[in-house]
């Protein structure tokens, strides 16, 4: 047993203080002697020019230094992040007080900071705070945050829970995807020649179809949780249906991206072949391995730093593989989240490590970066406003109608079918992700 240290006497304390002050005087004296004696002799013009002008000159030099560092890449980026997070948190809090999801407030915050409001009210401030060349830095950070976020979304889905209501969930989710997808294809045919003839038709039609079909599972999960519906029949069915639909939507998006980037269905065959190999490795090798690790850590309150580090490396590797296979990095992050151990405690610990950072820092950056490139003033005619309303109407009616009809066919009563159709119409994050992917791909 280690002995307690001997108490320090008053004499020793005074001696330590004397030593410290002597050392401090020597340090200050050395700096003064170097500046006042050695510098004029060895470099006559170096310090003299910088100290001329007295206090006014020194303050001017200080101001110039501040301006220089504000304009540097890291200085401007840090200021942008502070502004973005402050506005997003404030608007999100306001929407939460109104009974709306905070994510809606964050999306609105992005529009407020973009050319739709700040660019009109204070164009000089907008151009100084968010110059065009700096947006790419925000977007890169937001993309990394989306990878972490999709990883946590994958962990929120438990394949065992989906199997419990598999028949109804799959039928309802597929109906809620296929019907608005078909309507989106028809809408693209009607509007293509007049509004989008400068881009290839087939990829555009596919992206319109998938953007009409996706449910924002993260937003829906929070709504169900906030309303204490997680343990009710309707709440479980809603989450399972959205989960099954989320998986299907990401598979469809991966297929659409492969076809779009490859140029044809035939050339996308190899993308799907290697995707199947990747899925086989993920679910056939990594998932059983992580299940074993989950059982080993079942009684642990904390996960070791080594294990967490390996998980993050594999997460980024999974995202990288799907990115180079033309399936987007977010799909790899989502699949990697799915193969995490089913153990609730393991997933809870991992989610806590990732979710706070991704939700509070990176996701607002994504919403605002989207808003910074959104200019509502471009919808500047009655015809375009009617077109916007048409797209919204097709998306809402297609999703609600497809879900309602399938729910009634599965024997669910009319009231719950209507609620289910309304819940599946939850939009937000996923639509922005899909549209951003389509925009980046041209």
């Amino acid at each position: 047993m280690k002995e307690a240290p001997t108490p320090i006497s008053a004499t020793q304390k005074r001696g330590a203080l004397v030593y410290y002050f002597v050392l401090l005087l020597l340090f200050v004296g050395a700096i003064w002697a170097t500046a006042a004696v050695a510098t004029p002799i060895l470099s006559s013009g170096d310090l003299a020019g910088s100290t001329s002008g007295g206090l006014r000159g020194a303050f001017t030099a200080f101001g110039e230094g501040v301006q220089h560092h504000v304009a540097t890449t890291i200085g401007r980026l840090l200021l942008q992040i502070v502004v973005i997070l402050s506005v997003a948190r404030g608007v999100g809090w306001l929407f939460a007080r109104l009974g709306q999801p905070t994510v809606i407030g964050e999306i609105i915050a992005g529009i407020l900071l973009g050319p739709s409001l700040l660019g009109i009210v204070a164009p000089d401030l907008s151009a100084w705070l968010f110059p065009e060349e700096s947006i790419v830095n925000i977007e890169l950070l937001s993309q990394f945050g989306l990878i972490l976020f999709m990883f946590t979304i994958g962990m929120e889905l438990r394949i065992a829970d989906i199997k419990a209501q598999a028949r109804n969930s799959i039928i309802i989710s597929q109906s809620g995807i296929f019907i608005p997808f078909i309507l989106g294809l028809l809408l693209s045919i009607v509007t293509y020649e007049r509004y989008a003839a400068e881009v290839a038709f087939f990829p555009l039609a596919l992206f319109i179809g998938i953007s009409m079909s996706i449910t924002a599972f993260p937003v829906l999960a929070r709504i169900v949780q906030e309303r204490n519906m997680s343990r009710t029949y309707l709440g479980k069915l809603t989450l399972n249906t959205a989960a099954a639909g989320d998986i299907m939507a990401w598979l469809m998006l991966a297929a659409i991206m492969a076809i779009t980037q490859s140029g044809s269905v035939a050339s996308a065959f190899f993308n799907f072949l290697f995707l199947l190999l990747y899925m086989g490795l993920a679910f056939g090798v990594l998932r059983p391995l992580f299940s074993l690790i989950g059982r080993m850590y079942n009684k642990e309150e904390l996960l070791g730093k080594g294990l967490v580090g390996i998980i993050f490396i594999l997460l980024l590797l999974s995202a990288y593989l799907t990115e180079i296979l033309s399936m987007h990095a977010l799909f790899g992050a989502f699949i990697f989240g799915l193969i995490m151990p089913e153990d609730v405690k393991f997933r809870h610990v991992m989610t806590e490590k990732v979710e706070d950072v991704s939700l509070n820092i990176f996701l607002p950056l994504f919403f605002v970066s989207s808003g910074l490139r959104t200019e509502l003033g471009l919808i500047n005619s009655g015809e375009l406003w009617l077109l916007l309303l048409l797209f919204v109407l097709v998306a809402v009616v297609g999703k609600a109608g497809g879900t309602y009809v399938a729910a009634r066919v599965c024997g669910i009563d009319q009231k719950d079918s209507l609620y289910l159709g309304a819940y599946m119409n939850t939009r937000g994050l996923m639509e922005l992700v899909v549209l951003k992917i389509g925009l980046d791909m041209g």
Side-chain angles (χ1 to χ4, degrees):
M1 186 174 179
K2 190 174 181 179
E3 296 182 0
T6 305
I8 300 176
S9 64
T11 302
Q12 290 174 321
K13 291 180 180 180
R14 287 193 296 271
L17 288 175
V18 170
Y19 170 78
Y20 171 74
F21 282 117
V22 171
L23 184 64
L24 187 62
L25 288 174
L26 288 174
F27 176 72
V28 174
I31 294 177
W32 176 84
T34 303
V37 180
T39 299
I41 297 174
L42 299 177
S43 182
S44 58
D46 186 22
L47 193 63
S50 62
T51 56
S52 61
L55 290 177
R56 179 176 297 181
F59 185 79
T60 301
F62 165 75
E64 292 174 351
V66 170
Q67 292 178 2
H68 168 74
H69 288 288
V70 167
T72 60
T73 301
I74 184 64
R76 191 178 300 277
L77 180 61
L78 290 173
L79 178 61
Q80 289 171 336
I81 293 174
V82 170
V83 172
I84 288 170
L85 296 183
S86 300
V87 175
R89 179 56 60 90
V91 180
W93 174 85
L94 178 62
F95 271 72
R97 297 284 293 178
L98 296 174
Q100 300 298 314
T102 56
V103 64
I104 306 300
E106 292 172 351
I107 295 173
I108 298 299
I111 296 176
L112 296 179
L113 288 174
S116 298
L117 181 66
L118 184 62
I120 296 175
V121 176
D124 293 337
L125 175 61
S126 177
W128 178 82
L129 184 58
F130 297 108
E132 183 66 26
E133 65 274 10
S134 71
I135 304 301
V136 64
N137 298 321
I138 301 175
E139 291 179 340
L140 284 175
L141 282 177
S142 68
Q143 289 297 317
F144 181 73
L146 281 178
I147 289 174
L148 296 179
F149 182 71
M150 292 310 302
F151 173 58
T152 62
I153 294 304
M155 285 195 293
E156 287 182 7
L157 304 182
R158 300 183 70 233
I159 297 177
D161 290 341
I162 298 176
K163 290 179 179 178
Q165 295 176 313
R167 184 181 67 88
N168 288 352
S169 297
I170 291 176
I171 293 175
I172 297 171
S173 66
Q174 306 311 298
S175 178
I177 288 177
F178 293 156
I179 290 180
F181 191 93
I182 294 171
L183 293 176
L185 295 180
L186 295 175
L187 188 57
S188 66
I189 294 173
V190 173
T191 59
Y192 175 71
E193 290 188 353
R194 182 171 178 82
Y195 299 102
E198 68 276 6
V199 299
F201 170 72
F202 189 53
L204 175 68
L206 293 178
F207 267 99
I208 290 178
I210 194 65
S211 63
M212 297 282 148
S213 311
I214 284 186
T215 296
F217 179 79
V219 179
L220 177 60
R222 288 191 184 86
I223 293 175
V224 172
Q225 186 179 29
E226 289 174 2
R227 296 181 180 276
N228 298 317
M229 294 174 55
S230 302
R231 298 183 181 275
T232 65
Y233 169 77
L234 180 60
K236 290 180 180 178
L237 180 61
T238 298
L239 290 178
N240 290 339
T241 301
D246 219 35
I247 295 173
M248 181 64 187
W250 273 103
L251 290 173
M252 291 176 63
L253 179 60
I256 291 170
M257 291 183 61
I259 294 171
T260 301
Q261 294 187 342
S262 299
S264 68
V265 177
S267 59
F269 168 77
F270 292 100
N271 294 85
F272 286 111
L273 178 61
F274 282 97
L275 176 64
L276 290 176
L277 292 176
Y278 159 79
M279 299 282 282
L281 175 65
F283 287 93
V285 178
L286 292 180
R287 188 165 183 252
L289 178 61
F290 278 119
S291 296
L292 178 62
I293 295 175
R295 288 192 293 270
M296 292 172 56
Y297 280 84
N298 185 39
K299 297 182 180 180
E300 299 288 336
E301 293 295 330
L302 297 174
L303 300 180
K305 292 182 179 179
L307 176 60
V308 173
I310 292 174
I311 289 175
F312 280 125
I313 291 173
L314 292 176
L315 165 63
L316 296 177
L317 179 61
S318 176
Y320 174 71
L321 289 176
T322 54
E323 177 69 25
I324 64 176
L325 289 175
S326 303
M327 305 295 178
H328 205 279
L330 299 183
F331 181 72
F334 177 75
I335 294 298
F336 194 72
L338 279 179
I339 67 174
M340 285 291 102
E342 294 280 333
D343 179 74
V344 176
K345 183 181 293 186
F346 187 97
R347 291 197 174 197
H348 178 70
V349 172
M350 279 303 303
T351 300
E352 280 192 335
K353 290 180 177 294
V354 177
E355 195 172 44
D356 287 344
V357 176
S358 64
L359 288 180
N360 293 318
I361 297 180
F362 290 115
L363 272 188
L365 295 181
F366 170 74
F367 293 132
V368 173
S369 67
S370 300
L372 290 175
R373 297 193 182 277
T374 301
E375 190 170 353
L376 296 179
L378 294 177
I379 309 176
N380 54 9
S381 67
E383 180 181 349
L384 290 179
W385 278 107
L386 288 175
L387 185 65
L388 172 64
L389 294 176
L390 177 61
F391 271 84
V392 173
L393 182 65
V394 169
V396 172
V397 173
K399 191 72 174 179
T403 302
Y404 174 81
V405 171
R408 294 292 290 152
V409 170
C410 291
I412 300 174
D413 63 66
Q414 184 177 5
K415 181 180 178 181
D416 285 348
S417 297
L418 286 172
Y419 275 119
L420 197 58
Y423 284 127
M424 291 300 106
N425 248 310
T426 305
R427 314 287 179 140
L429 173 64
M430 304 311 299
E431 283 69 24
L432 287 176
V433 172
V434 171
L435 294 175
K436 182 64 168 59
I437 292 173
L439 181 63
D440 291 342
M441 294 175 63

